[in-house]
Amino acid sequence: MKLIKALVLIVTFISTVASATENSRAIDVDSHIITKHKATINNQKINYTVNTGTQPVWNTQGHPIATLHYTYYKKDKVKDDSKRPLLISFNGGPGSASVWMHIAYTGPRVLKIDNEGYPVQPYGLQDNPFSVLDVADIVFVNPVNTGYSRVLPNKDGTMPSKADQKKWFFGVNADIKYLSEWLNTFVTRHNRFRSPKFLIGESYGTTRVSGLAHALQNQQWMYINGVVLVSPTDIGIKREGPMKAANRLPYFAAAAWYHKALEPSLQNKDLLEVLAEVETYTINQYLPALAKGAFIGTKEKISTIAQVAKYSGLSEKFVAQNNLDIPTDAFWKELLRSKGFTLGRLDSRYLGIDKRDAGDSPDYWPELTSWLHSFTPAINYYLREELNYKTDVKYNMFGDVYPWDRSNNETGEQLRLAMAQNPYLNVMIQAGYYDGATNYFDAKYTLWQLDPSGKMRDRLSFKGYRSGHMMYLRRADLKKSNQELREFIQSSLPNPDEAAKY
């Protein structure tokens, strides 16, 4: 009998442990943890509260089908939240967590890295004296399958089919639809409907926030004061053929200048002086030359080859072999081939080493491996040990969201329409000159084409930085970009009793 009782106790213990383990691996559907903190930001001592947790996504029957993890920073002792801006932050991918801008750009705690953005050990965080928390509360949102956000089981305990998950979450328009509903709930729960609201997105997050500006206004009746596009995608504004090829040249010039690969007449100039010259050439001469294709005249072709080689740091032979149209992969491999290095894609300041110097594209992206080196330990430490959010669920730096439905991407037009409908709404683009994935000249092109009428031109602005896709990793640009974001938020707030009208 004693043996039987002992076996029962052992089985019960094993079952209890298994149950606890299973539960700890499932994210809470609706939860939050509150912690209190202090910081000195923009030379002001600030007390703030952090609310980090999960909030459900519901279907039309009121059943939770996913839960999103968020981190919400709120300045303490604010007398009137209706006058306090709320900055809603998304990263991109699609499939990327909100970690990047959260602990490297606008949040009150940032990565411990060197002044150029490279990892240092021991890993960790430090205070961010440049955060915009002095002028706005901030919420960082992780879309489905990123960070701790997850798809939830059906009522019967089975997981939704891949087809259903794609229909609900994983596409340009599905993403915008469920996130606009989720934000309505978040803003309602936290009593922020009267607050001025700003959207900021990075990379694919710019597609997301461009569509959200329209969806929030037209489906949730929630009006936005500003949209910030950090390292923007094309947001559905097409650039193909000669335009797509031509727009790369100013970025090539920036990367070549950084690596001292230009001839002395250019290398001895300041970067911005070089870029102004290359931009003018790109629009007025390079684009028309590319448009002529095989029917370009011999004299013009020879002249164009020489000028593109001069501005890109590549050889005339290499430019000619590519018929004037140099793929970015080929540029990353070719520019420093003779020195045995490749360039980073998202930030071409970073160098990589390939197995072979031969070939037409790099083996890997050195900037991304460097960033993951810094960010992954830091976000796991920060959420668990500083914000006290404890779970055994893995924090997905990049989550499974593919195949992503990119059809019917009209987010640029949606942003234009949102601006037209809302005279309060302003847009700012921030881009790094050394970003080869979403290059800065493409970002300028997006700005120029967003409102072809030119009637809202005074509500559109561009800011450039001497860094890459995540321009804020460079300490000087962390300060500059936050200050320009701060000024954008403050300048986009209407005067008291100012009517929204043309």
Side-chain angles (χ1 to χ4, degrees):
M1 182 63 72
K2 288 182 179 180
L3 179 59
I4 293 174
K5 286 183 178 180
L7 289 172
V8 170
L9 286 172
I10 291 169
V11 171
T12 302
F13 173 75
I14 292 171
S15 300
T16 302
V17 170
S19 176
T21 302
E22 183 180 353
N23 289 338
S24 68
R25 294 296 298 272
I27 195 73
D28 291 332
V29 176
D30 204 340
S31 65
H32 67 268
I33 298 291
I34 304 291
T35 51
K36 296 285 187 177
H37 306 266
K38 296 179 181 179
T40 299
I41 296 171
N42 200 25
N43 297 317
Q44 298 179 37
K45 291 184 178 180
I46 291 175
N47 294 322
Y48 63 95
T49 299
V50 183
N51 177 334
T52 187
T54 52
Q55 178 188 293
V57 176
W58 290 285
N59 62 15
T60 53
Q61 290 77 45
H63 178 72
I65 55 175
T67 189
L68 303 191
H69 181 257
Y70 65 88
T71 305
Y72 174 38
Y73 294 85
K74 190 173 187 296
K75 185 180 177 183
D76 293 344
K77 298 179 182 179
V78 173
K79 292 181 180 179
D80 187 356
D81 279 346
S82 70
K83 297 177 182 177
R84 173 80 172 164
L86 175 65
L87 181 64
I88 303 165
S89 181
F90 292 95
N91 273 97
S96 173
S98 68
V99 55
W100 314 101
M101 290 199 293
H102 183 178
I103 60 168
Y105 184 11
T106 55
R109 297 280 280 160
V110 290
L111 291 173
K112 182 184 175 185
I113 49 180
D114 76 6
N115 286 340
E116 291 299 312
Y118 292 90
V120 295
Q121 292 192 18
Y123 303 113
L125 295 163
Q126 57 191 337
D127 288 338
N128 180 8
F130 313 121
S131 168
V132 293
L133 188 58
D134 61 319
V135 297
D137 297 332
I138 314 168
V139 58
F140 298 92
V141 185
N142 292 302
V144 170
N145 279 2
T146 73
Y148 294 135
S149 302
R150 294 294 188 271
V151 179
L152 296 175
N154 295 318
K155 289 181 180 179
D156 63 4
T158 62
M159 291 299 294
S161 67
K162 281 285 187 181
D164 279 343
Q165 291 185 40
K166 180 178 179 180
K167 180 174 67 175
W168 297 340
F169 309 118
F170 303 141
V172 173
N173 295 300
D175 182 71
I176 291 164
K177 182 178 179 181
Y178 88 81
L179 285 171
S180 68
E181 291 283 347
W182 188 93
L183 285 171
N184 185 304
T185 302
F186 181 87
V187 168
T188 301
R189 282 186 175 188
H190 295 276
N191 301 315
R192 300 309 297 264
F193 248 101
R194 294 193 301 157
S195 301
K197 286 171 280 294
F198 293 80
L199 298 171
I200 183 170
E202 180 180 83
S203 195
Y204 184 83
T206 61
T207 299
R208 179 174 285 137
V209 298
S210 295
L212 276 172
H214 181 267
L216 288 171
Q217 290 184 182
N218 290 275
Q219 297 166 21
Q220 309 299 330
W221 312 289
M222 184 188 300
Y223 285 75
I224 305 300
N225 291 71
V227 174
V228 182
L229 308 178
V230 178
S231 304
T233 62
D234 61 19
I235 61 172
I237 297 173
K238 301 299 182 188
R239 63 217 59 188
E240 297 171 339
M243 178 58 70
K244 185 176 180 66
N247 280 4
R248 300 180 191 127
L249 186 59
Y251 151 70
F252 289 163
W257 181 90
Y258 179 83
H259 290 291
K260 297 180 170 52
L262 298 179
E263 63 176 49
S265 65
L266 291 172
Q267 197 65 58
N268 293 334
K269 295 179 180 179
D270 181 69
L271 173 64
L272 298 188
E273 190 179 356
V274 172
L275 294 183
E277 180 180 328
V278 179
E279 288 178 21
T280 299
Y281 174 79
T282 297
I283 292 295
N284 295 331
Q285 293 176 260
Y286 186 35
L287 176 59
L290 285 168
K292 295 172 186 175
F295 289 80
I296 188 173
T298 301
K299 185 176 180 180
E300 184 181 5
K301 184 173 184 178
I302 291 171
S303 171
T304 304
I305 288 170
Q307 201 64 33
V308 170
K310 176 182 176 181
Y311 286 144
S312 65
L314 302 169
S315 69
E316 291 187 18
K317 179 180 179 181
F318 189 79
V319 174
Q321 288 173 333
N322 281 278
N323 302 318
L324 305 177
D325 176 0
I326 300 119
T328 48
D329 278 17
F331 175 78
W332 299 323
K333 184 75 175 181
E334 178 69 14
L335 184 70
L336 299 180
R337 191 192 300 266
S338 62
K339 296 181 179 180
F341 293 113
T342 62
L343 303 189
R345 171 176 174 263
L346 293 161
D347 191 330
S348 292
R349 295 176 302 154
Y350 291 72
L351 300 179
I353 301 174
D354 280 359
K355 184 177 182 179
R356 295 182 177 88
D357 290 337
D360 57 6
S361 62
D363 291 349
Y364 69 103
W365 305 125
E367 79 291 346
L368 190 56
T369 55
S370 175
W371 296 341
L372 289 168
H373 196 162
S374 307
F375 279 86
T376 309
I379 191 64
N380 280 277
Y381 154 78
Y382 180 55
L383 291 170
R384 189 175 187 89
E385 298 188 43
E386 291 195 19
L387 301 188
N388 201 32
Y389 192 86
K390 292 180 169 60
T391 176
D392 286 341
V393 173
K394 182 174 74 172
Y395 188 94
N396 284 338
M397 304 293 285
F398 298 102
D400 181 10
V401 302
Y402 293 96
W404 189 267
D405 183 0
R406 297 181 182 272
S407 62
N408 301 315
N409 180 359
E410 298 179 356
T411 51
E413 171 57 19
Q414 289 166 353
L415 179 56
R416 185 208 64 79
L417 184 56
M419 291 182 69
Q421 294 170 337
N422 178 2
Y424 286 154
L425 179 53
N426 297 318
V427 172
M428 178 173 73
I429 288 178
Q430 297 181 302
Y433 298 121
Y434 306 129
D435 180 2
T438 57
N439 77 69
Y440 89 91
F441 200 60
D442 265 341
K444 283 191 172 183
Y445 182 81
T446 293
L447 192 75
W448 299 336
Q449 302 301 318
L450 188 60
D451 171 36
S453 75
K455 294 175 183 177
M456 298 185 289
R457 183 173 173 175
D458 62 337
R459 292 156 59 192
L460 298 165
S461 59
F462 174 89
K463 305 295 181 183
Y465 305 92
R466 296 177 186 238
S467 42
H469 195 73
M470 297 197 291
M471 70 285 172
Y472 41 81
L473 292 180
R474 181 172 175 261
R475 185 77 174 180
D477 287 324
L478 175 67
K479 180 179 181 179
K480 184 173 185 281
S481 57
N482 269 293
Q483 181 57 28
E484 288 173 339
L485 176 56
R486 179 179 290 106
E487 291 168 359
F488 174 76
I489 291 170
Q490 292 173 321
S491 66
S492 298
L493 298 176
N495 295 319
D497 302 320
E498 180 183 343
K501 65 179 182 179
Y502 292 114

